[in-house]
Each structure stands twice: as structure tokens, then as C-alpha cells.
Amino acid sequence: MTLAGKRILVTRSAEQAGELAALIRRAGGVPVLFPTIRLTHPEDCGPLDREIGRLSSFDWILFASANAARFFCERASRLGVASWPGTLRVASVGPGTTKELAAKSVPVHRTAGKHTAGGLFESLLPTGIRGKRFLLPRAEEGREILPDAIAREGGEVVSVVAYRNGLAEKDEAVAGEIVSRPPDVCTFASPSAFRNLFLLLGDGEARSLLSRTRIAVIGEVTARAVERRDFRVDIVPETYTLKAMVDAIKAFFAADRSADPG
């Protein structure tokens, strides 16, 4: 079961596209790199710096994405925070985030079984939430599911912006290529990656492209963003990781050869 000859669009940021591209190549496919997002630091790092300075006041720090982990750890390192308080527990939403934390030598005490905000909340329940303080570094447009759920159980959540999803610079050559010759599958790992495709290509060309390809996404939130624009999501992996998405694409074509638009 391979992706032999299949062209797969990768919309992750330029610095993050490598892992997915490598997985596609390993499966025999051809990655088509067209970053739609550009990850950047917060416009004002003051709130983030303040929370990094009082890590000892929290019982838990929660990472709901690998990006949040990377930007938070890099900022802490830049501020000279070499080690975190021994009383601070660390929770991760999934394997990718745990891997990012491990690369920064940050021990993870709990990883969600289901790799969503709801799954992360469920993983915390057995530890006791009432009266505890939680720090949640996240994207600028982060959702309130996790803070609301913790608040209902009597915990206190301090959310702080660790990074922003900006618009990538448009690669005109690749844009022309994918519009004239759509890839077999377009992949999106976040709602912003999907939304930004429309900003870069324009609504008409983005719709034309997406109507002639298959769409693979990671996560329910990204799937809803696609469906809100009236497109069908063809492939969603059960596990929200890049490897699982590539495996799901392989399984999709293996199960239904007629699904090949070519």
C-alpha cells in the first residue's frame, strides 16, 4: 500500500513542512509544498514573559499543540529559564506535542488518549482539578473548550498567547501549478491552513482547486472549517498525527481505486 505517483499538497508552514513531506516521499508520493501559514511570535510578548516568570504559581502547564510547546519553550529559554519548577506538571495533547517537548528536555507527566482539547481535559480529570491552577500557552485565536471545561470543574486557567498563525508569502510558481493541475490530495493540519488557502489563491481559484481534488485533514475542528465552506472532507485519520494522516491517505486510495481523480 503506497502513494506511488500521487501528488500531495502540503500547506504547513515552511519550517514545519519537512516532516510531512518526508512521510509522503517514504510512502512513494510526491509532496507539493505550498505553505499557507507562517508562524510568528506574539505582537506583545509581555503577557507570555510574565507567566513564564511565575511558573511556580501553577500546578499544571497544558500544551494543546506542538507549536505552543515550541514557541513557549523557546521563549522560556530566551529568557534564561533553564529548568522548570519541580512542582509543575506538564500535560500534552498528543505524540507530536510530546515529541516537541522531549526535544526541549521537558518531561511530560500526562498525554491525552484522544488528541483533542476534550481528550486533554479527560486525561486531567483523574488528577483532580478543583482548586488547581493551569497555564495554557496557545495560539492567538485559541478556542475556549479546554478553559471552560476546567473552570466548570473548579480549576483556574490562565491562557496566554505563545504564537500567531500569520499568512505565508505566496509562492506564485506553485500557486499556478496547483491551480492548473490540482494535486491528488490537499492536506490541512489546522483551520487557519485551510482558510489561508483562499486568501492566497483567491476564492474562485481556491474553490476550483478544491473541487478537483481530495481533502485530508487532521482533527474535527479542521474538518468543520472545511465543511463550513461546503467542501467534503474525504480523509480524517483516527489519530491526529501526521503519520496517521499519511496512513489514512494510503488506506483511502487502497480501498477505492476509483477515488483517484486522475
Side-chain angles (χ1 to χ4, degrees):
M1 189 167 59
T2 72
L3 294 178
K6 292 286 190 295
R7 295 168 59 247
I8 312 295
L9 186 70
V10 177
T11 55
R12 305 197 85 202
S13 65
E15 62 268 28
Q16 290 189 304
E19 181 181 358
L20 179 54
L23 289 167
I24 292 168
R25 288 193 192 94
R26 201 173 303 153
V30 180
V32 179
L33 305 185
F34 187 66
T36 60
I37 62 176
R38 180 174 62 90
L39 302 180
T40 62
H41 296 282
E43 287 187 359
D44 178 7
C45 287
L48 177 59
D49 293 352
R50 183 177 62 245
E51 302 309 334
I52 290 173
R54 54 186 187 188
L55 283 178
S56 60
S57 72
F58 295 96
D59 297 289
W60 285 89
I61 182 168
L62 313 177
F63 292 104
S65 75
N67 290 331
R70 178 166 70 89
F71 275 87
F72 185 89
C73 292
E74 288 177 356
R75 188 68 187 175
S77 177
R78 184 170 181 175
L79 294 178
V81 180
S83 60
W84 295 7
T87 55
L88 182 65
R89 314 291 282 178
V90 180
S92 159
V93 74
T97 304
T98 298
K99 181 180 177 182
E100 184 68 40
L101 290 164
K104 308 293 185 189
S105 300
V106 175
V108 174
H109 302 92
R110 191 161 289 262
T111 299
K114 185 178 180 182
H115 311 314
T116 64
L120 185 54
F121 169 71
E122 290 173 6
S123 75
L124 294 169
L125 278 174
T127 71
I129 288 179
R130 184 166 297 280
K132 301 281 181 62
R133 297 188 79 234
F134 300 82
L135 178 60
L136 177 63
R138 63 182 188 180
E140 190 172 47
E141 56 181 13
R143 299 184 305 150
E144 297 301 322
I145 290 177
L146 186 55
D148 288 350
I150 290 175
R152 282 196 298 272
E153 291 295 322
E156 178 189 357
V157 179
V158 175
S159 299
V160 65
V161 175
Y163 70 100
R164 295 184 296 138
N165 281 323
L167 183 66
E169 185 176 349
K170 183 179 179 182
D171 186 325
E172 296 288 353
V174 177
E177 175 193 340
I178 62 177
V179 169
S180 62
R181 185 184 170 218
D184 297 283
V185 179
C186 291
T187 66
F188 302 99
S190 68
S192 53
F194 177 75
R195 289 194 300 266
N196 285 1
L197 182 73
F198 287 78
L199 296 176
L200 290 174
L201 296 183
D203 191 79
E205 291 197 331
R207 286 190 172 278
S208 174
L209 162 63
L210 293 172
S211 67
R212 294 179 288 154
T213 186
R214 303 293 180 178
I215 298 177
V217 307
I218 290 181
E220 299 165 4
V221 178
T222 307
R224 285 198 292 272
V226 173
E227 290 164 350
R228 274 197 294 271
R229 285 188 180 256
D230 297 326
F231 289 98
R232 184 182 67 187
V233 176
D234 300 289
I235 303 160
V236 184
E238 292 185 5
T239 303
Y240 298 159
T241 65
L242 298 176
K243 181 180 183 305
M245 181 160 69
V246 172
D247 288 344
I249 295 171
K250 289 191 295 185
F252 176 84
F253 284 114
D256 184 3
R257 296 293 181 188
S258 66
D260 187 347

